[in-house]
Amino acid sequence: MTMALKDCKNRKDVDAVFKAKGTSLDNYEAKNAMLLDVMGNPQMFCSIGNPTDEQKYEMILISFLGGKWKYAEALSKVSYGKLNIS
């Protein structure tokens, strides 16, 4: 059984999911898109000018593995009475 990307805890897990999906480990554009999609497509800011796709991947992967996006995802599902937080 293949682990879901959102359940990955480390780089090795993430690489295993990409490999199982048939995504080349050098296809940073596809990997970036998948990670951002799982995280709810947050806006990412990069202050180093024009980073390469590999540099973007490292930044996105660090953010992904940090897990703060899971907190935001959980909050978006919380509902207080009629007030739906999203």
Side-chain angles (χ1 to χ4, degrees):
M1 184 168 148
T2 304
M3 175 184 287
L5 191 55
K6 72 180 195 172
D7 297 325
C8 293
K9 306 249 187 271
N10 56 50
R11 182 181 295 265
K12 182 180 176 184
D13 292 345
V14 172
D15 287 345
V17 169
F18 288 139
K19 184 176 180 182
K21 290 182 179 274
T23 305
S24 166
L25 293 180
D26 295 336
N27 188 347
Y28 296 109
E29 188 175 340
K31 292 178 1 179
N32 289 344
M34 284 187 252
L35 286 172
L36 288 170
D37 185 55
V38 168
M39 292 191 295
N41 291 308
Q43 291 185 345
M44 302 294 281
F45 173 75
C46 191
S47 64
I48 62 170
N50 281 332
T52 65
D53 284 339
E54 184 175 5
Q55 289 170 323
K56 288 178 192 174
Y57 174 71
E58 289 300 323
M59 180 180 73
I60 293 166
L61 182 62
I62 289 168
S63 179
F64 174 81
L65 292 174
K68 290 187 177 162
W69 61 273
K70 291 180 181 180
Y71 178 70
E73 179 184 51
L75 283 178
S76 72
K77 295 177 182 177
V78 173
S79 171
Y80 294 106
K82 293 182 180 180
L83 178 63
N84 185 6
I85 299 173
S86 56

